[in-house]
Amino acid sequence: MTEHNASTPRADHRTVLLRGGEVHSPADPFATAMVVERGHVAWVGSEGAADAFAPGVDEVVDLEGALVTPAFTDAHVHTTSTGLALTGLDLSGTRGLADALERVRTHAAAAPAGRILLGHGWDATRWPEQRPPSRAELDEAAGGRPLYLPRVDVHSAVVTTALLDLVPGITALAGYHPDAPLTADAHHAVRAAAHAAVTPRQRAEAQRAALAHAASLGIGTVHECAGPEISSEEDFTALLKLAADEPGPRVFGYWAEQVAGAKDAERIRELGASGAAGDLFVDGSLGSHTACLHSPYADASHTGTAFLDTAAVAAHVTACTEAGLQAGFHAIGDAALTSVVDGVRAAADTLGLARVRAARHRVEHAEMLTPATIAAFAEFALTASVQPAFDAAWGGEDGMYARRLGAERARTLNPYAALLRAGVPLAFGSDSPVTPLDPWGTVRAAAFHRTPEHRVSVRAAFTAHTRGGWRAVGRDDAGTLVPGAPADYAVWDADALVVQAPDDRVARWSTDPRSGTPGLPDLTPGAQLPVCLRTVVFGQTVYERPNE
């Protein structure tokens, strides 16, 4: 890209003409140019019409054939944890138990004395040993230092004895196991102790690293999913302040705490949260055997863990709706999702369906849906905030889901096509650091779902990862490049644009110019994903690829 500056007014007041590329816009499926003024899209159109704007702008950007799209929105992120994983001990690529323990040794030897060791990302289902490290093995590898090492799904963790010693009464808490991963209250307690040891400076460095990484991937907005069992109020408010004060992706924050009335709702607002939602746990996760199921796991003789019942869901949704606050829950297992929809139905019976629908409450993950719960999501206008990378990582006939549930139940997971057919709003995210920030990879994972009947078109998946995230926070005027929309966009080095759909007949029709369907990059597995050249938020550049 090349630029020509005519003058240098304040960045948010500059008028910029981008031309000579491909602009992905429903306003003009063949647009090659766009004008940005005062942080908003002012015009999109053809190259010939761009000539008329060129003399009156402050800057002209020659796209040199690059693709311009709306910036992505990642609708489920744990920002500080993502930054700590980026800058600390990452075990997501380990090949086995010995490899993981060696990485712990190396990290412990290099870490400053006196600092609690933090890691992330181990998944014993991918290791030949098929087991997590024991307490004794971790104590040896960490050299006797406090170490917190959550499983990849962050619903259980292995820790060292030195960290347990910092948590009085830990052995009496639910989920404590002498030599197995900690879950439930015991896990929340050791996580709180570990995160409390992170200094404000460490935290700010981690947050900046996470947001900078997001911007480098064309992500213009993230939804921070925080709460008292996940992080801390200090972490949450510090992130919102940092995002407001420094250039970078927008951050909408969700605080996962139950609301009983107007006073609780006001406190949520005072924190700066967009809603009492996100990871308000109705259950846990499949990997940790804590997702709540109607029938027992295939590889365990129980049905998981229920943290909130139908009555608690109903009370929260009722209080939030009455206060004009968005509510939401973390629910993965089929029994947990039944509790959610039954609770929302009870709230609707009390307040009226229209009020509940207007509040746009949301459910995170929503993996084990049934036709009945999908219909209820549509009835109550619940947004499904989902993570297609989960299917890519753990789906398929031989994946973790099949081991936990059996192949038949596993094939029902993450039914994106059925959700779209029912009219359920979709918002895509990563749950980073559970799975990495990777927006085009996320779109690919939905379009090429491991279960073919759950696949959606690339266009639908792209919409869920752009406009869908804005709709999930109650904004219908953003996430698309049309006049009047916020100028949040990304510029990409991408190969030829195509239209991809699960049904070839749709794809053939859509590539006909008469369809007016703008193309997107080829995301066929194995094809090279687009490379981000620039990310812009409200007209301000927050990332530019070096040497471009």
Side-chain angles (χ1 to χ4, degrees), residues 116-497:
I116 284 183
L117 305 177
L118 301 170
H120 171 75
W122 62 270
D123 183 356
T125 67
R126 297 180 180 273
W127 294 346
E129 299 86 354
Q130 291 287 299
R131 71 168 180 86
S134 68
R135 179 90 48 77
E137 288 168 333
L138 278 186
D139 286 346
E140 182 277 325
R145 296 175 63 171
L147 168 68
Y148 170 65
L149 211 57
R151 189 184 180 278
V152 63
D153 58 12
V154 202
H155 284 270
S156 59
V158 289
V159 302
T160 56
T161 303
L163 180 56
L164 290 177
D165 291 342
L166 299 177
V167 187
I170 183 68
T171 58
L173 294 179
Y176 174 79
H177 309 284
D179 201 26
L182 307 181
T183 60
D185 292 345
H187 175 221
H188 297 156
V190 295
R191 176 163 57 190
H195 285 181
V198 176
T199 66
R201 179 176 177 178
Q202 278 179 279
R203 183 176 62 227
E205 288 173 353
Q207 291 170 348
R208 287 191 184 97
L211 293 176
H213 183 55
S216 76
L217 297 169
I219 297 170
T221 300
V222 301
H223 297 182
E224 164 68 10
C225 291
E229 294 182 345
I230 303 164
S231 52
S232 67
E233 290 186 14
E234 184 181 12
D235 179 275
F236 183 66
T237 56
L239 171 64
L240 295 182
K241 185 176 188 307
L242 184 147
D245 292 347
E246 300 181 10
R250 302 170 188 259
V251 176
F252 291 103
Y254 285 97
W255 186 251
E257 192 165 4
Q258 288 179 261
V259 170
K263 186 176 180 180
D264 291 342
E266 184 57 32
R267 200 181 73 80
I268 298 288
R269 287 194 174 94
E270 288 173 354
L271 288 175
S274 299
D279 279 333
L280 183 53
F281 296 119
V282 178
D283 68 345
S285 74
L286 292 166
S288 290
H289 289 102
T290 51
C292 190
L293 314 182
H294 283 304
S295 301
Y297 283 87
D299 60 351
S301 58
H302 61 83
T303 57
T305 306
F307 297 118
L308 297 178
D309 61 13
T310 295
V313 170
H316 182 68
V317 172
T318 300
C320 286
T321 304
E322 289 182 322
L325 189 67
Q326 191 179 24
F329 305 93
H330 161 120
I332 287 178
D334 51 2
L337 288 160
T338 296
S339 293
V340 168
V341 299
D342 286 351
V344 176
R345 180 173 287 108
D349 289 343
T350 300
L351 301 174
L353 179 60
R355 287 185 69 186
V356 168
R357 286 178 61 88
R360 300 195 190 191
H361 303 309
R362 55 190 280 173
V363 182
E364 310 301 312
H365 316 309
E367 292 199 82
M368 286 187 73
L369 290 158
T370 64
T373 49
I374 290 171
F377 269 52
E379 179 184 0
F380 302 127
L382 298 175
T383 294
S385 172
V386 297
Q387 295 74 40
F390 287 7
D391 174 72
W394 302 307
E397 296 296 313
D398 300 319
M400 181 270 286
Y401 289 153
R403 291 196 289 277
R404 291 289 184 268
L405 302 172
E408 185 176 349
R409 275 192 296 177
R411 279 193 290 270
T412 69
L413 264 59
N414 301 301
Y416 304 137
L419 285 164
L420 282 179
R421 284 195 300 270
V424 175
L426 289 183
F428 282 177
S430 62
D431 198 10
S432 178
V434 174
T435 53
L437 298 168
D438 179 15
W440 286 114
T442 295
V443 174
R444 172 186 277 171
F448 295 91
H449 197 294
R450 289 180 180 272
T451 305
E453 58 263 37
H454 299 330
R455 292 174 180 172
V456 298
S457 69
V458 168
R459 182 186 183 191
F462 179 79
T463 299
H465 215 352
T466 50
R467 195 171 189 179
W470 282 96
R471 286 173 167 168
V473 294
R475 291 277 300 271
D476 293 328
D477 63 337
T480 183
L481 299 180
V482 297
D488 289 24
Y489 62 90
V491 182
W492 305 92
D493 179 5
D495 292 333
L497 305 185

